Amino acid sequence: MHLVGAGAPVDIGEARRHAASGQSKLLASRVGILAITLLSTVTIARLVPPSEFGLASLAQVVVVFAQVFRDFGVTNAILRKGNIRPEEISMIFWFNVVATFALSLLLLAASPLAAAFFGEPVVAAALSVSVVGFFVGGVALQHRALLLRDLRFGQIAMIDVVGLLVGYLVTLTLALIRHDVWAIVIGAVTQSVVSGGLAIALSRWRPSRPRRSPELWDLLRFGANSTVNSLSVMLSNNFATIVIGRMFDAAALGHYNRAQMLFAMPNTNIIQPITQATMPLLTRLRPHPEQYRSAYLALVGRLSVLLMPMAVTLTLTAVPLVHLLLGSRWHTTGVVLMALAPTLAVMGVGHAVADLFITQDRSREMRNLGLAELVIRIGLITVGAFLGLIETALAFTISTALAVALRVTIAGRKGPVSGKDQVVASLAGLPPGLGAALFAVPLYFLLPDDVVLRAIWIPLGGILGALVGGLLTKRSRDGLSELAIAFGMAGLLRRFRPRPL
């Protein structure tokens, strides 16, 4: 199997072409994933009540916690290094397998304690079943990382679509029969098993016998710092779930879980495909500071052009959209989503900062940054939880904005990309964001209180306003052009581009 960057030097132009085509392939797959996710959201939410979603999320948050330790952060070493030897890859694989097996046993032993902590006996059984998907996913970590490193984005896209589809079909079948937490838990396990199995089969890589690598301690050092950061980020992102599960009832957690799932759709289906394709390119551009800087700032620009108007539009349309998709009994979910939606406005500049630390081998700074963000998130969410469910969601939004400001400041202290560079690049999203507000806000106040009208016309107004606003400045026009290319619309873009006289 050919590993890009595993031995021979890589042509930068070829790497750029792979990254550009990779974005299009991953985004194209996300069209299918988004369709399946929306279908799942609409159908399963009408078959399973909020309290059952809450119970499933209690088990899931424990699994997510264990996932941080599954590879001790050393899988990131495959992505950060320009060259990596076969024995290093095999060593990391066997490390993952041993760690995953040990953590699986630990999860089984800890399941009664988790059930006692949350006061829900069914959590123990749900967590025990979830261990199956956890183990298979851990064994497949290395294979998926190699697919990504080798720029095989089409196969990654296929894995994601097939895994999600099979998981949804299992969930739907069980939801029609049982209407309870097991439909969600078993469906999630099925998705993990199918995705992991496909990654192992398609990577075509097989490990050799474990042999000690001379760079073992360097990998473990990087992995330790990466793990502390990952743990901090995981706790930051899931602390609200833990607090709500402890202080509120399962129904409240179910509302928060569904709102968070809808809020995460742009991240899962748009941001991740774009950043997944860019990170291997940054690894290869590291010896070329100007090209590295240009590639990263272009990423920030196109993310901001997309996410700032999306934040405006989703905030205004959250409640009617949830009513339309899930039904009136999920009204609280819509209000929580309205409180979370403004977070998207800062994710364009904040989401990819971790790539700077990884590709520049700044794991210690990344570790310290994660701990600082955790303190911010815990403090604000704890205060919000004492005030109520909606206030907890608002605390998440505020703490994210503060964490992004800190992230950008620290990342810009070293390397070819300064904090000012990142902020200026993110300003490309301001004109489309303002345009979305100018078109969507009047519709919010003028439209009658009709769910269908508001769920359709407010987003359409926001999209039209974003396009109009995005044409006003060169920076935002460039961002729109790059998004059009990423979404496979380069031909349409050329058709409307003015021809030289």
Side-chain angles (χ1 to χ4, degrees):
M1 181 190 71
H2 171 60
L3 293 177
V4 174
V10 177
D11 178 76
I12 297 301
E14 180 184 358
R16 285 184 177 275
R17 287 190 294 274
H18 274 293
S21 64
Q23 286 185 13
S24 298
K25 290 177 182 177
L26 292 172
L27 285 168
S29 75
R30 291 297 165 172
V31 174
I33 288 175
L34 181 59
I36 298 169
T37 303
L38 285 174
L39 183 61
S40 174
T41 300
V42 172
T43 54
I44 306 303
R46 295 176 187 274
L47 295 170
V48 179
S51 58
E52 300 299 308
F53 277 98
L55 293 172
S57 66
L58 291 176
Q60 183 60 30
V61 75
V62 179
V63 173
V64 170
F65 178 81
Q67 286 174 348
V68 174
F69 299 95
R70 193 161 54 184
D71 72 337
F72 200 63
V74 293
T75 299
N76 280 335
I78 296 178
L79 300 177
R80 76 179 172 103
K81 294 187 68 175
N83 297 290
I84 187 166
R85 294 190 299 274
E87 60 268 25
E88 291 180 272
I89 300 175
S90 292
M91 185 274 295
I92 294 172
F93 169 79
W94 291 114
F95 186 96
N96 286 349
V97 171
V98 172
T100 299
F101 181 74
L103 286 168
S104 297
L105 295 178
L106 186 60
L107 282 175
L108 290 173
S111 58
L113 299 177
F117 177 80
F118 292 117
E120 296 287 354
V122 73
V123 171
L127 184 55
S128 298
V129 173
S130 299
V131 167
V132 176
F134 173 83
F135 179 78
V136 175
V139 173
L141 270 176
Q142 189 83 345
H143 299 82
R144 185 179 177 92
L146 289 173
L147 287 171
L148 180 60
R149 179 183 174 88
D150 213 23
L151 307 177
R152 294 159 66 184
F153 300 114
Q155 292 178 324
I156 292 174
M158 188 272 285
I159 290 169
D160 292 341
V161 171
V162 173
L164 182 63
L165 178 60
V166 175
Y168 165 62
L169 292 176
V170 171
T171 302
L172 178 61
T173 302
L174 292 176
L176 288 167
I177 298 171
R178 300 186 56 94
H179 310 285
D180 65 5
V181 64
W182 290 109
I184 304 166
V185 171
I186 295 176
V189 169
T190 302
Q191 180 180 342
S192 297
V193 171
V194 171
S195 298
L198 285 173
I200 293 172
L202 293 175
S203 73
R204 301 193 300 274
W205 173 82
R206 299 296 177 263
S208 60
R209 295 177 58 183
R211 289 181 294 173
R212 182 169 177 171
S213 167
E215 297 188 23
L216 173 63
W217 292 113
D218 177 64
L219 292 172
L220 292 178
R221 176 190 59 79
F222 181 89
N225 289 327
S226 180
T227 297
V228 172
N229 175 73
S230 297
L231 177 62
S232 302
V233 171
M234 187 283 299
L235 288 174
S236 294
N237 291 333
N238 291 278
F239 186 71
T241 298
I242 297 171
V243 170
I244 294 169
R246 180 70 175 173
M247 297 179 62
F248 298 87
D249 58 19
L253 182 56
H255 285 296
Y256 186 85
N257 172 266
R258 292 297 84 189
Q260 194 173 48
M261 185 277 300
L262 290 169
F263 166 75
M265 279 187 180
N267 176 51
T268 304
N269 298 293
I270 300 174
I271 301 176
Q272 284 186 7
I274 293 175
T275 55
Q276 264 188 326
T278 303
M279 185 174 173
L281 173 63
L282 292 177
T283 300
R284 289 155 177 79
L285 292 180
R286 185 177 172 181
H288 310 279
E290 283 303 314
Q291 294 186 52
Y292 179 101
R293 176 178 176 273
S294 175
Y296 182 81
L297 294 180
L299 170 65
V300 172
R302 58 180 173 268
L303 288 178
S304 298
V305 163
L306 179 70
L307 293 175
M308 284 191 184
M310 188 179 293
V312 173
T313 306
L314 185 58
T315 300
L316 296 173
T317 195
V319 174
L321 183 63
V322 168
H323 273 253
L324 181 64
L325 293 176
L326 309 185
S328 58
R329 70 173 175 176
W330 293 89
H331 173 80
T332 302
T333 298
V335 182
V336 173
L337 181 59
M338 179 184 287
L340 293 174
T343 309
L344 292 172
V346 298
M347 286 182 67
V349 65
H351 185 274
V353 173
D355 291 354
L356 292 180
F357 290 102
I358 292 173
T359 56
Q360 295 175 25
D361 199 15
R362 296 164 62 184
S363 60
R364 182 177 298 179
E365 291 175 87
M366 186 170 65
R367 175 200 66 194
N368 295 338
L369 177 61
L371 292 172
E373 291 180 5
L374 179 61
V375 171
I376 294 171
R377 187 66 57 83
I378 287 178
L380 287 175
I381 287 179
T382 300
V383 173
F386 281 104
L387 298 176
L389 179 63
I390 309 304
E391 289 78 6
T392 304
L394 286 171
F396 179 91
T397 295
I398 296 170
S399 62
T400 300
L402 294 175
V404 166
L406 180 64
R407 197 179 299 179
V408 169
T409 300
I410 293 178
R413 295 190 306 183
K414 296 180 183 177
V417 185
S418 70
K420 181 181 178 181
D421 289 336
Q422 297 174 64
V423 173
V424 171
S426 71
L427 293 179
L430 199 56
L434 292 174
L438 288 173
F439 278 64
V441 170
L443 292 173
Y444 179 83
F445 288 105
L446 294 175
L447 285 173
D449 190 17
D450 182 277
V451 168
V452 177
L453 285 177
R454 297 178 74 84
I456 293 176
W457 286 106
I458 293 176
L460 287 177
I463 293 171
L464 180 60
L467 291 174
V468 172
L471 296 175
L472 296 179
T473 67
K474 182 181 184 305
R475 187 177 287 117
S476 57
R477 287 196 300 272
D478 290 343
L480 287 174
S481 297
E482 291 175 359
L483 282 175
I485 293 170
F487 280 98
M489 300 170 63
L492 182 65
L493 188 67
R494 285 192 296 268
R495 179 176 299 180
F496 288 97
R497 186 173 292 164
R499 295 181 180 179
L501 297 176

